[in-house]
Amino acid sequence: MKQVLENVKSKQYLVADHQERKLGLYEDGQLVHCISNVVFGKNGCTYDKVEGDGCTPLGDFPLGFAFGLDDVSFLYPYYQITPNAYFVSDSNSKFYNEWVWVLDEEQTYPYSYMKSSKQILWDDAEHLSDYEKTYWYGIVIEYNMNPKEKNKGSAIFLHVKNKDYTEGCVAVTKSDMEYILKWIKVGARILIQ
């Protein structure tokens, strides 16, 4: 497995190698765990991602909060998915590439890309609770978030796999996601190469 951690920006790194289909978990530059049979976008990986292209973005990205359908707690920030949770993929929406809770009263959250809205203000989004297997557990890959560009891709996650490809995410087994969620700390990053 290739390892390119020359300019280490974090104590913990997940290194996703799309050619070898492996995910290495590194702490202080040392490999502590390796996951095989990782799946990526159905149309491969790219440095020039476009919304809906079915490609996983290549690069070095921060990891955001974890989420899932399970009512559990981890030391890592975790939000349980409810039927009012969406991740917006409508490039023309003010909520593009953001997690939005549809709630009667607006709230604030510790992540700039997590919002609330009293109504649906988009034409296209993932209704997260509809993805029972895929989003059993997930972690937001902070791709195209700071700054955010229209039509450059949205809803990129590390999540549970349920087939041999994704629509642009990185996916591993449920047990591998559980391992990651118990290991990971705030400040971790992912390198997709």
Side-chain angles (χ1 to χ4, degrees), residues 24-70:
L25 309 185
Y26 289 84
E27 190 143 10
D28 296 323
Q30 299 297 313
L31 179 67
V32 296
H33 189 72
C34 188
I35 297 167
S36 299
N37 300 314
V38 178
V39 297
F40 296 86
K42 65 182 175 184
N43 294 323
C45 297
T46 182
Y47 284 108
D48 192 25
K49 180 155 181 62
V50 176
E51 186 68 45
D53 64 2
C55 292
T56 299
L58 293 166
D60 181 348
F61 311 107
L63 288 170
F65 61 85
F67 60 90
L69 294 165
D70 213 358

Side-chain angles (χ1 to χ4, degrees), residues 35-37 159-161 171-178 180:
I35 297 167
S36 299
N37 300 314
H159 63 67
V160 174
K161 68 179 178 179
V172 298
T173 67
K174 183 182 175 198
S175 61
D176 287 329
M177 277 302 304
E178 288 170 339
I180 292 167

